[in-house]
Amino acid sequence: MASSNNNTIGVDNTFRKKFDTEEFKERAREREKKESDRSKSRPKGPPVQRAPLKHRDYHVDLESRLGKTQVVTPVAPLSQQAGYFCRVCECVVKDSANYLDHINGKKHQRALGMSMRVERSSLEQVQERFEVLKKRKTPGTFTEQDLDERIRKQQEDEEELKRQRREKKKEKKKAKVVEEEPEMDPEVAEMMGFGGFGSSKKS
């Protein structure tokens, strides 16, 4: 029995793959060398200077397709799919609120070549802007004199309304007094001395 136990065949573990550490170290060195050469070959120029934000000189169309029915297929191009298509970024936004957020956002402005910084206006630019707005104003626009005239007219209307209310109250009081006076027999009124003024007894 002992001899049979000594002749037991062991498990063969030689099928496991053995890695050559030196080979992989050499590959890593070559990869690092290529990456360093690639980074050195890139020209290191100055950072990209983007223009400051400018006001939009076109109308944002949000109502042209309102209430219309459109057939959408999976193979349709982006410009014909449901939602709002941005030609600059070539993407589709599902609703108007997100579309406005997109065209006002950083990604869209960068695609247009602008940064998110606003140019600081000078005193001359502000004065020129005021002059443009003054010239654009039509003769029928609202002015400060119109405001004073409207306030004065409103005050006059309020005073006239108060006067009419006072007159109505006086008329109501007079009508009420006449209604409350009892009708008296003329003979009894004469006996009590309520006769008309200036009347004289005939003898």
Side-chain angles (χ1 to χ4, degrees), residues 179-191:
E179 290 177 358
E180 289 179 352
E181 285 184 355
E183 293 184 0
M184 191 178 295
D185 190 14
E187 294 182 357
V188 177
E190 188 176 354
M191 290 175 60

Side-chain angles (χ1 to χ4, degrees), residues 12 23 29 34 48-49 56 60 81-82 88 106-107 112 119 130 142 147-148 150 166 170 173 183 187 191 198 200:
D12 186 10
E23 180 184 355
R29 292 192 196 97
K34 288 180 181 179
V48 179
Q49 296 292 332
R56 196 178 293 115
V60 179
Q81 290 186 7
V88 178
K106 186 176 182 179
K107 179 182 177 182
L112 292 174
E119 183 181 4
F130 277 128
F142 189 76
L147 178 62
D148 296 337
R150 286 180 61 179
R166 287 195 296 266
K170 287 181 181 179
K173 285 182 180 180
E183 293 184 0
E187 294 182 357
M191 290 175 60
S200 59

Side-chain angles (χ1 to χ4, degrees), residues 4 11 28 36 40 45 51 53-54 59 72 75 83 93 98 108 125 139-140 148 154 156 170 172 174 186 192 200-201:
S4 62
V11 178
S36 62
K40 289 178 180 178
L53 278 177
K54 297 179 181 179
H59 175 68
V72 181
V75 295
V93 188
N98 287 328
H108 184 82
Q125 291 175 336
D148 296 337
Q154 186 176 2
E156 291 178 356
K170 287 181 181 179
K172 285 183 180 180
K174 288 180 181 179
M192 295 179 65
S200 59
K201 242 181 186 184

Side-chain angles (χ1 to χ4, degrees), residues 157-185:
D157 293 341
E158 289 177 357
E159 291 294 332
E160 180 65 20
L161 186 61
K162 289 180 182 179
R163 188 186 63 79
Q164 292 178 0
R165 287 178 180 174
R166 287 195 296 266
E167 292 293 333
K168 287 182 180 179
K169 285 183 180 180
K170 287 181 181 179
E171 291 176 359
K172 285 183 180 180
K173 285 182 180 180
K174 288 180 181 179
K176 191 175 182 181
V177 170
V178 171
E179 290 177 358
E180 289 179 352
E181 285 184 355
E183 293 184 0
M184 191 178 295
D185 190 14

Side-chain angles (χ1 to χ4, degrees), residues 4-199:
S4 62
N5 291 335
N6 293 333
N7 296 329
T8 304
I9 300 174
V11 178
D12 186 10
N13 293 331
T14 58
F15 69 92
R16 293 185 179 179
K17 187 176 180 180
K18 296 180 180 179
F19 295 96
D20 188 357
T21 55
E22 293 298 329
E23 180 184 355
F24 283 97
K25 286 181 180 179
E26 186 65 26
R27 288 184 184 179
R29 292 192 196 97
E30 291 178 359
R31 186 173 61 251
E32 290 176 357
K33 185 178 180 181
K34 288 180 181 179
E35 290 178 355
S36 62
D37 292 342
R38 190 181 304 142
S39 61
K40 289 178 180 178
S41 62
R42 291 177 184 173
K44 293 184 179 180
V48 179
Q49 296 292 332
R50 299 182 183 273
L53 278 177
K54 297 179 181 179
H55 68 279
R56 196 178 293 115
D57 56 355
Y58 62 92
H59 175 68
V60 179
D61 183 18
L62 299 176
E63 296 88 9
S64 62
R65 291 162 54 180
L66 186 65
K68 294 183 180 179
T69 305
Q70 182 181 357
V71 179
V72 181
T73 59
V75 295
L78 289 176
S79 59
Q80 297 178 7
Q81 290 186 7
Y84 296 88
F85 176 67
C86 176
R87 298 184 182 277
V88 178
C89 304
E90 294 185 353
C91 64
V92 178
V93 188
K94 295 302 180 183
D95 53 54
S96 59
N98 287 328
Y99 179 68
L100 288 175
D101 290 340
H102 169 73
I103 62 178
N104 292 329
K106 186 176 182 179
K107 179 182 177 182
H108 184 82
Q109 299 300 331
R110 282 183 174 273
L112 292 174
M114 291 187 289
S115 64
M116 298 302 290
R117 296 182 179 180
V118 182
E119 183 181 4
R120 188 177 180 84
S121 300
S122 62
L123 178 61
E124 291 77 11
Q125 291 175 336
V126 175
Q127 290 174 346
E128 289 177 2
R129 185 64 178 171
F130 277 128
E131 292 296 329
V132 171
L133 292 176
K134 286 180 182 178
K135 292 178 181 178
R136 189 186 301 175
K137 185 183 286 187
T138 58
T141 52
F142 189 76
T143 60
E144 188 176 353
Q145 294 179 354
D146 297 335
L147 178 62
D148 296 337
E149 183 66 21
R150 286 180 61 179
I151 293 174
R152 186 182 61 79
K153 188 175 181 181
Q154 186 176 2
Q155 290 176 350
E156 291 178 356
D157 293 341
E158 289 177 357
E159 291 294 332
E160 180 65 20
L161 186 61
K162 289 180 182 179
R163 188 186 63 79
Q164 292 178 0
R165 287 178 180 174
R166 287 195 296 266
E167 292 293 333
K168 287 182 180 179
K169 285 183 180 180
K170 287 181 181 179
E171 291 176 359
K172 285 183 180 180
K173 285 182 180 180
K174 288 180 181 179
K176 191 175 182 181
V177 170
V178 171
E179 290 177 358
E180 289 179 352
E181 285 184 355
E183 293 184 0
M184 191 178 295
D185 190 14
E187 294 182 357
V188 177
E190 188 176 354
M191 290 175 60
M192 295 179 65
F194 291 123
F197 292 103
S199 61

